[in-house]
Amino acid sequence: MGKSKKLMALAFASIFALAGCSSGSNDSKSTSGDSDTIKIGAIIPQTGPVSNYGNSSEKGALIAIDEINEAGGINGKKIEWKSYDDKGEITDATSAYNKLKGDGVSVIVGAITSKPALAVAEIAKKDGIPMITPTGTQEDITKDKKNIFRTCFTDPYQGRLLAKFASENQKAKKVAILRNTSSDYSNGIADEFKKEAEKLNLEIVADESYGENDTDFKAQLTKIASAKPEVLLVPDYYEKIALLAPQAREAGIDAKFIGGDGWDGVISVMDKSQLNLVEGSCFSNHFALDSEDERTKKFVSKYKEKNNEDPSSFSALSYDTIYLVKQAIEEAQSIESDKVVEKLKNIEFDGITGKFKFDENNNPIKSASMMEIKDGTYKFNSTVSPDEN
């Protein structure tokens, strides 16, 4: 997913004020503002193969910014948003970070996908600028970096929760894994799922793999079919799931599919005539579109009205990230990096993607919403919470 993630030069501030903070370059977006603002920077894939994740994230963030600014801002100052396009690439993400640092931002949101987020985190760690990736799930992004945080859960964390779901909710005894060995995301979930499944006395009857560019999975699926699992974990992104699911059913696999948050979007890319193949599949996600929570309903309504589409988990996580920044700055009564970081480390946050505190590596300890594909739509299935130990 991910994935995902610093004082102020007077000349730049004056230019932005005069120009309404607009930019002539193709790789930046900004909101209008003046010198009496709090600058939040963002590293977003606005173009390229993962632009759907980035654009969804930015749309969610902008709704939060509009709400906060309309309500008077943060400590009486409006948020000034400046985002640069990283195209989902490490080099572009690093360049975007350096631009934002030059712009004098107080906090950086991003990067969105994991590899750029990790690269930027290594630099931001040295500079001390608070950085929060809404959606970068790779474990190393925040590890041993006191000023780097995330709003989403990690890949291994998802793996543990998915094993618990398979055991407790699905009542499975025999489970199988089909992983993408080219993907840190896929391996991160699969490895931890396997460890936790063994602790829960689940029998791993198969652990098969494929590469990023593979399109024919017959050999792996035939082995899995012969093992007759009740649940099959496929931890990959929705484009690959849409390719895999029909072949799995053709191979005779009737197990229930489960997966991580990368599944979010699979309905939009599968032919409607094939949606029955993933009927009943469940995946971990960060919020439920059909939640009865009033804040979530309000967010979903605003997002749909503004963008003519449903928000994704990326939208919701970025929305929460802006409110997380707001709370930390308000509690710090300052935009000084050290003070904001200290408040983030000790924050108790309650958003539309869950209530959480941060652990020792600045990862949120939170529950996952398990979503089920039912009648061609995503429906909330259940909540899976971490063990209290």
Side-chain angles (χ1 to χ4, degrees):
M1 241 171 203
K3 326 306 237 294
S4 252
K5 286 201 179 118
K6 246 175 149 316
L7 137 169
M8 184 180 298
L10 181 60
F12 275 87
S14 301
I15 291 169
F16 290 152
L18 291 170
C21 288
S22 62
S23 172
S25 65
N26 292 326
D27 68 343
S28 86
K29 294 181 184 177
S30 60
T31 61
S32 61
D34 55 40
S35 59
D36 192 30
T37 59
I38 291 176
K39 294 184 179 182
I40 299 178
I43 301 172
I44 305 277
Q46 296 159 349
T47 60
V50 292
S51 60
N52 53 331
Y53 296 128
N55 291 324
S56 178
S57 297
E58 187 156 38
K59 288 172 184 176
L62 289 173
I63 288 178
I65 290 168
D66 287 345
E67 288 179 352
I68 292 167
N69 283 345
E70 286 171 8
I74 302 174
N75 294 336
K77 294 186 176 184
K78 298 291 182 71
I79 296 173
E80 182 180 332
W81 176 256
K82 183 77 172 182
S83 67
Y84 289 98
D85 182 10
D86 72 354
K87 305 178 181 65
E89 299 292 340
I90 290 173
T91 302
D92 293 282
T94 302
S95 175
Y97 171 82
N98 289 328
K99 290 176 184 176
L100 290 171
K101 185 180 175 183
D103 292 339
V105 299
S106 297
V107 178
I108 288 180
V109 174
I112 299 303
T113 51
S114 286
K115 289 184 178 179
L118 177 59
V120 173
E122 295 292 348
I123 308 170
K125 173 184 177 181
K126 300 171 185 175
D127 293 335
I129 300 174
M131 170 184 153
I132 310 171
T133 173
T135 54
T137 55
Q138 189 172 325
E139 190 171 28
D140 289 350
I141 294 171
T142 61
K143 190 173 183 181
D144 299 324
K145 302 177 185 74
K146 69 176 184 179
N147 58 310
I148 312 299
F149 299 81
R150 80 176 97 226
T151 317
C152 59
F153 33 65
T154 67
D155 300 333
Y157 193 81
Q158 286 190 81
R160 290 193 292 276
L161 294 182
L162 285 165
K164 187 176 181 182
F165 176 77
S167 175
E168 297 181 4
N169 181 287
Q170 300 297 293
K171 308 300 182 186
K173 300 296 182 185
K174 297 167 66 177
V175 297
I177 300 167
L178 180 58
R179 67 172 80 198
N180 180 350
T181 51
S182 305
S183 166
D184 292 332
Y185 170 79
S186 189
N187 284 321
I189 294 176
D191 287 344
E192 202 65 28
F193 175 89
K194 192 171 184 178
K195 290 179 190 174
E196 191 67 18
E198 289 170 349
K199 291 179 186 177
L200 296 170
N201 296 316
L202 294 175
E203 183 183 358
I204 308 290
V205 296
D207 184 356
E208 296 294 321
S209 62
Y210 56 88
E212 181 62 38
N213 298 319
D214 290 349
T215 56
D216 184 347
F217 313 97
K218 185 177 180 180
Q220 299 96 319
L221 293 168
T222 299
K223 290 180 182 178
I224 292 171
S226 66
K228 301 187 184 305
E230 297 152 320
V231 166
L232 172 59
L233 172 72
V234 190
D236 209 336
Y237 294 103
Y238 61 81
E239 299 93 335
K240 191 69 76 174
I241 304 303
L243 188 62
L244 267 164
Q247 293 186 39
R249 297 309 186 203
E250 286 175 15
I253 295 173
D254 59 6
K256 175 167 283 191
F257 296 128
I258 63 172
D261 58 337
W263 273 65
D264 191 14
V266 68
I267 289 175
S268 66
V269 296
M270 286 192 76
D271 189 279
K272 285 183 170 54
S273 65
Q274 293 188 319
L275 285 177
N276 64 304
L277 303 177
V278 291
E279 178 78 6
S281 299
C282 291
F283 60 93
S284 53
N285 213 351
H286 306 268
F287 94 123
L289 192 63
D290 58 346
S291 170
E292 290 302 312
D293 176 77
E294 286 303 319
R295 294 173 305 166
T296 303
K297 288 165 71 173
K298 182 180 176 183
F299 165 70
V300 171
S301 176
K302 282 187 176 182
Y303 190 99
K304 289 176 73 171
E305 181 180 353
K306 187 171 183 178
N307 300 297
N308 296 313
E309 63 185 18
D310 286 330
S312 69
S313 60
F314 282 73
S315 317
L317 285 164
S318 295
Y319 176 88
D320 267 359
T321 300
I322 299 301
Y323 274 99
L324 183 64
V325 170
K326 175 181 182 288
Q327 184 176 333
I329 292 175
E330 286 179 342
E331 290 183 1
Q333 287 294 305
S334 172
I335 57 171
E336 291 180 25
S337 293
D338 289 348
K339 293 180 180 179
V340 174
V341 167
E342 184 60 30
K343 290 301 179 183
L344 280 169
K345 290 189 76 69
N346 296 289
I347 210 161
E348 293 187 17
F349 181 76
D350 187 2
I352 63 172
T353 63
K355 181 185 293 186
F356 64 81
K357 298 179 182 179
F358 287 110
D359 68 11
E360 67 276 8
N361 283 310
N362 299 341
N363 299 316
I365 304 169
K366 64 197 298 191
S367 300
S369 294
M370 293 301 302
M371 304 304 296
E372 181 176 1
I373 298 174
K374 193 172 183 180
D375 299 325
T377 60
Y378 305 117
K379 297 290 186 182
F380 174 73
N381 176 281
S382 59
T383 298
V384 183
S385 301
D387 293 325
E388 300 292 335
N389 53 38

